Amino acid sequence: MALNSLLDIPSELIGYILSYLSAHDIISCQRTCRTLCNLVCGDSALRYFVQLERFGVTDDIRPGLSYPERLNLLEKREEAWVMLDFRRSIQITVPFHSTGIYDFTGGAFLLGTRGASIHSTAGYSYIPLPSLSDPQDQKLNWIKLGLGIQILDVGLAVQEHDLIAALTVNRGMDKEHPADRHLEIRLFSFATGQPHPLAEQPIIFIARKMLAIGQCNVLIEIVGEFLIFVITFPWTRNETEDMFFLVRWKKGEAYRLQYSEWDPHAYFSFLSQDILVIPNLVQNTLDIVRIAIDESDDIPRLIPLCKFGLPPLTHGASIVRLCCRGEPNPTGSGPLAIPAPSHRPFRDKAADAIILFNLVIECAHVPTRDFHFPETRSFTFIVHRCALFAHIPAALRACAPFRTTSESVPVPVEVPWSGWGVAATRWFESDFASMRWITTTAGQRAVAMEDAALTPIIVRDFNPYTVRAARACAAARGQSQQCNWSELLPNGNRTTLTLEETVLPAGSAFKEDVRSTLPYVEIVTQKKYRYQGVLIDEERILGLKTNRNDELGPSSFDVHILG
């Protein structure tokens, strides 16, 4: 018998063929006809692949769970996030004096431990956080590591490399320059606290520098073979210099970029394993650069690709702070050192994740007879990592990772705000309290709170599939698909679909109205909490509490587990 159509062959073979497609292509096939739609819906493996795509997560597909079990776990997890239904909550005490150093990634919460003074950090402690699959009576213990020297900051790559990197400062032995300090990167296994086995030099000398401890900002990120860190001195601009380093952490090689080239930069975030976005405070842009390795000398350099304009500022206004963070980070091409647990096989997809930008703008000064400190205003905007990547010219995007630099560096392509920002971003006016903590995104979700003593927990989901599902729900209730829509959930929380544009009016900060239209779904808890900050990862929300007057970090925190 002649086979004239795909549908003429047995359904088991069709399912087998579809399993070789990407999840996005499976969804496309599912929409072509009722037969393929029913086939995909009835096949647990295909449904699982489709739901991974819709929920923006990945799975290593390791042995341990069947596809029906994986699908059940994933759908229950997403249902909990849609309802913001905390399936388990516990309180954890911080039994030591913590400092301003912290990180929340890889299922662990890390805090710096205080040294001789309130502003010094001499070690760190972390606690693996519980999951739904863990026993209710599981004992949670802090794991401590003391280095005995001053720590400026730490960077983590737990899942990719089982790595924690500490930037330390040690007193030098040069009698002619007693104020100089030695900057070093110390590389440890996160699991054991021992020197990292893949590091040829567990301690990497960075520079000898006169440092004003407590007056510098440090940012460390690790992706693939590179550790990148920035040290800036926003309050002291004399003998000290801002520093931007690329470090091949496995080989123990550190390369410094000249300060004059990167003066305006203090923060950065990875778009891919070799492309960074760096906020430029002076030019009011987001600079996109590539880490490129020249085959002639094997030295990595940063090559400018393009500049994304930000909303024009009012004459006399200036950006005084612009930080950014996206979780999870991309990874290199190698396998993960710590894959996702077999009983929780999925992780947020880095390529689909959002990046959060926090701005502080010093407003234009209005002349008066009396002296007034300049007014400052704070803002937050959200953009998908893939949206920034998509606006890089195709020819530059298509290059192989870490491509060899050409003899003549191309002039960066300039993309004005009007050419990318309105549709790709969503802006909010924020407050300084909520901007203290930067680990407030996970995948395509962001967590926030109100500026009040008692505040609900607010989660905003920028996943386009979540938005589409909310639109369908609104349409089923007779609501226009172009308007905002809100509904009270069965657990008392409120969900709101935001489609209409947000407008920040022109004035002392912006020259023109700032419009943004990136749609999202917001869930606000009915219950209010007394928190000083909220953090998020792919399974949990942390509510931070500070009780001691001299404490820079939290004295306790609540862990709300969603799964």
Side-chain angles (χ1 to χ4, degrees):
M1 183 180 69
L3 300 178
N4 299 317
S5 165
L6 174 69
L7 302 182
D8 292 336
I9 65 177
S11 58
E12 293 83 0
L13 289 180
I14 297 176
Y16 183 74
I17 293 170
L18 293 181
S19 68
Y20 281 89
L21 299 179
S22 68
H24 185 269
D25 289 339
I26 294 174
I27 293 173
S28 298
C29 289
Q30 189 180 13
R31 292 174 178 169
T32 59
C33 67
R34 188 183 301 276
T35 300
L36 288 180
C37 180
N38 291 337
L39 189 150
V40 172
C41 290
D43 188 310
S44 58
L46 294 179
R47 276 185 61 200
Y48 183 60
F49 295 146
V50 167
Q51 296 297 58
L52 287 176
E53 172 71 18
R54 284 177 172 160
F55 299 148
V57 297
T58 60
D59 183 351
D60 298 325
I61 313 295
R62 295 187 303 140
L65 292 175
S66 65
Y67 283 120
E69 290 173 315
R70 293 171 192 258
L71 181 63
N72 182 55
L73 277 176
L74 181 59
E75 291 183 339
K76 283 188 175 181
R77 169 188 186 259
E78 292 304 312
E79 180 183 355
W81 280 107
V82 166
M83 301 286 290
L84 203 49
D85 187 14
F86 301 146
R87 298 160 74 181
R88 182 180 167 197
S89 296
I90 63 172
Q91 184 180 72
I92 296 178
T93 300
V94 179
F96 52 87
H97 292 285
S98 58
T99 65
I101 292 177
Y102 81 98
D103 210 336
F104 179 33
T105 185
F109 186 43
L110 178 146
L111 293 169
T113 52
R114 188 186 299 179
S117 69
I118 185 174
H119 293 291
S120 67
T121 303
Y124 61 84
S125 299
Y126 70 91
I127 186 167
L129 297 175
S131 298
L132 277 180
S133 55
D134 295 334
Q136 292 277 352
D137 57 351
Q138 178 189 21
K139 193 171 182 180
L140 303 174
N141 296 311
W142 287 91
I143 300 169
K144 300 181 181 181
L145 181 64
L147 301 187
I149 58 176
Q150 173 74 20
I151 299 176
L152 293 183
D153 202 1
V154 297
L156 280 72
V158 176
Q159 289 183 334
E160 185 177 13
H161 298 300
D162 181 37
L163 173 64
I164 179 167
L167 178 62
T168 62
V169 56
N170 206 1
R171 186 178 297 276
M173 303 302 291
D174 191 342
K175 295 182 180 180
E176 294 183 4
H177 304 90
D180 283 0
R181 301 291 186 269
H182 285 182
L183 281 175
E184 299 168 331
I185 290 285
R186 297 169 184 260
L187 304 168
F188 301 97
S189 162
F190 187 81
T192 66
Q194 299 300 309
H196 199 284
L198 296 181
E200 294 180 12
Q201 301 178 39
I203 302 177
I204 304 173
F205 174 78
I206 299 298
R208 190 181 72 181
K209 204 71 184 165
M210 187 175 72
L211 293 175
I213 305 300
Q215 297 184 344
C216 59
N217 291 332
V218 182
L219 175 64
I220 303 174
E221 296 287 357
I222 307 165
V223 169
E225 303 296 310
F226 283 98
L227 178 153
I228 302 181
F229 74 90
V230 176
I231 305 178
T232 55
F233 302 87
W235 300 282
T236 56
R237 291 288 187 180
N238 40 37
E239 288 91 0
T240 58
E241 290 181 338
D242 295 355
M243 294 181 287
F244 194 115
F245 274 90
L246 300 177
V247 180
R248 279 174 161 154
W249 64 271
K250 291 182 180 179
K251 295 183 177 181
E253 300 171 354
Y255 307 90
R256 182 181 177 185
L257 277 72
Q258 293 301 313
Y259 165 77
S260 58
E261 295 177 359
W262 304 101
D263 181 7
H265 304 106
Y267 294 89
F268 65 91
S269 186
F270 278 90
L271 297 186
S272 67
Q273 64 173 320
D274 67 329
I275 295 180
L276 311 176
V277 54
I278 308 180
N280 188 320
L281 279 65
V282 173
Q283 298 183 13
N284 193 32
T285 59
L286 301 180
D287 295 353
I288 310 299
V289 301
R290 166 173 271 130
I291 305 172
I293 301 174
D294 193 329
E295 292 181 353
S296 63
D297 56 16
D298 198 38
I299 294 178
R301 297 176 175 86
L302 293 187
I303 304 300
L305 300 182
C306 54
K307 288 178 174 287
F308 292 161
L310 293 174
L313 301 176
T314 297
H315 179 71
S318 61
I319 301 175
V320 296
R321 184 172 183 258
L322 206 175
C323 57
C324 55
R325 177 80 181 243
E327 280 284 338
N329 262 335
T331 59
S333 54
L336 297 181
I338 303 180
S342 58
H343 57 284
R344 300 193 311 280
F346 22 80
R347 303 181 315 275
D348 287 326
K349 194 184 298 183
D352 293 340
I354 57 175
I355 299 180
L356 176 145
F357 292 83
N358 282 333
L359 300 87
V360 177
I361 296 179
E362 189 174 283
C363 299
H365 179 63
V366 179
T368 61
R369 292 184 178 181
D370 300 325
F371 172 79
H372 294 282
F373 285 103
E375 177 194 3
T376 57
R377 295 174 63 187
S378 54
F379 303 90
T380 295
F381 73 89
I382 301 286
V383 61
H384 282 92
R385 186 178 270 138
C386 58
L388 291 176
F389 200 83
H391 281 84
I392 300 173
L396 299 175
R397 218 168 49 232
C399 292
F402 310 106
R403 68 167 179 82
T404 303
T405 60
S406 59
E407 293 183 2
S408 57
V409 177
V411 176
V413 177
E414 296 191 4
V415 184
W417 164 254
S418 59
W420 76 277
V422 176
T425 67
R426 179 66 71 167
W427 285 67
F428 307 89
E429 188 150 12
S430 53
D431 61 272
F432 291 105
S434 60
M435 292 175 64
R436 177 184 175 187
W437 310 95
I438 193 65
T439 315
T440 55
T441 69
Q444 299 183 71
R445 298 185 180 96
V447 67
M449 62 181 191
E450 296 176 353
D451 185 18
L454 285 172
T455 172
I457 294 175
I458 304 166
V459 172
R460 299 180 178 120
D461 192 335
F462 294 86
N463 186 326
Y465 289 106
T466 303
V467 170
R468 183 180 299 168
R471 273 182 160 168
C473 188
R477 289 160 174 74
Q479 175 71 34
S480 167
Q481 293 196 29
Q482 305 304 318
C483 299
N484 295 348
W485 170 75
S486 184
E487 181 180 66
L488 195 65
L489 298 172
N491 61 358
N493 297 340
R494 178 165 292 277
T495 184
T496 301
L497 169 65
T498 300
L499 302 172
E500 300 169 13
E501 71 174 7
T502 298
V503 180
L504 300 175
S508 59
F510 297 108
K511 182 180 180 180
E512 305 165 354
D513 290 350
V514 178
R515 303 179 182 276
S516 58
T517 60
L518 180 66
Y520 66 96
V521 174
E522 178 180 275
I523 310 99
V524 181
T525 60
Q526 179 185 40
K527 184 178 178 179
K528 295 187 176 183
Y529 302 85
R530 198 176 298 275
Y531 292 149
Q532 281 70 53
V534 285
L535 310 178
I536 188 174
D537 74 356
E538 55 196 16
E539 293 185 60
R540 317 162 188 85
I541 291 174
L542 303 191
L544 308 180
K545 304 175 184 178
T546 302
N547 296 326
R548 300 187 286 265
N549 294 330
D550 64 342
E551 204 64 44
L552 297 175
S555 56
S556 66
F557 56 94
D558 293 337
V559 183
H560 302 294
I561 308 171
L562 293 100

